[in-house]
Amino acid sequence: MKSVRELIRRATPRSVRNWLRQPTRSFRYLADRARYARQGPTDVQVRDGWRVRCHPASVDHFRIFIADPAQATELDTFIRYCRPGIQFLDVGAHYGLFSLAALHFGGSDAHVVAVEASANASKILTANLAANGASNRVDVVNAAMGATNGTLQMLSTGPAGSDYFVSAPADRTDTIPVRQLSMPGVLRQTRLIPTHVKMDIEGFEDEAISGALESLREHRPVLFLELHVRFLRTRGRDPAAILERLCQCGYVRFEENGITLSIAELAAREMDCRIVCMPE
């Protein structure tokens, strides 16, 4: 069976398979772009008093942070931690909802660096920033974040996967090369001194945190971290080791839904979590 799947992968470009996996969503993907070309951005009421204008391809994704309890809580937690003048590093920015939240709730002095591996997602992110008059307050970096500067082989998810890019197992032959930057590399390029960092990168957290320790130790930003345990363990990575590294560079408290939890308590919950990591 594995050899058959590999034969299909080799015979059919991944971009074609991405389109064929869910034809209805692929058609919607094209329709959203046609609608944007005809009518421009649309509005989404994300929270009371906060409405965003966005590319139609973003609408369903943004509404997930209204309708899905876990993701609504994640956004509410982030908003609660926003401060005037926030300097926000958004790693895995996707279509930019958290970047827009930082600008809205951080006031006129807020600034964002949005790091996104997918070129397609970066284009929609850029359109969303322009629709909200925020282009001059955000630096968009089309790259993956990892341990070092270089190139990373990744898998595209295409229309059915909302343009996410994911890290690839070593044996995959249908990857594409993506520019990779470490956190120090991004900060040197953009001159950002982060007060807050969000990291949501589909199982590549281990490498990205390893490369970020110098910056985290120096700047001590509040870190919003999503651990994608299934992806991490598939790649032979230990989620608990990521938190232990954070402890070594000064992070002393981990919160989930406002509750402080130890690494052992998070491990008992299988580590599949969205947590706020607080420095001393």
Side-chain angles (χ1 to χ4, degrees), residues 136-174:
N136 63 339
R137 301 171 63 199
V138 180
D139 297 311
V140 177
V141 180
N142 182 200
M145 183 165 283
T148 60
N149 297 338
T151 302
L152 177 65
Q153 296 295 324
M154 301 192 77
L155 293 169
S156 62
T157 60
S162 300
D163 290 322
Y164 283 107
F165 269 29
V166 297
S167 56
D171 61 345
R172 292 298 291 256
T173 58
D174 54 350

Side-chain angles (χ1 to χ4, degrees), residues 29-50:
Y29 186 92
L30 293 174
D32 285 339
R33 279 149 181 78
R35 179 182 172 191
Y36 181 73
R38 293 193 312 271
Q39 302 175 9
T42 190
D43 288 359
V44 176
Q45 184 78 40
V46 184
R47 292 292 184 273
D48 289 343
W50 180 35

Side-chain angles (χ1 to χ4, degrees), residues 52-74:
V52 300
R53 291 186 57 72
C54 62
H55 191 294
S58 308
V59 170
D60 287 346
H61 175 77
F62 285 5
R63 285 177 176 162
I64 287 172
F65 288 89
I66 305 168
D68 179 74
Q71 296 192 75
T73 298
E74 179 185 17

Side-chain angles (χ1 to χ4, degrees), residues 166-169 199-210 225-243 245 270-273 275:
V166 297
S167 56
M199 191 173 289
D200 182 2
I201 48 176
E202 311 298 320
F204 209 64
E205 300 92 282
D206 188 38
E207 290 87 344
I209 291 292
S210 295
L225 178 64
E226 184 165 352
L227 293 173
H228 295 80
V229 171
R230 181 172 63 86
F231 289 138
L232 284 165
R233 289 182 173 151
T234 297
R235 302 178 58 249
R237 307 289 176 163
D238 180 6
I242 297 172
L243 301 186
R245 287 194 200 97
E270 300 297 323
M271 285 285 185
D272 202 1
C273 53
I275 54 175

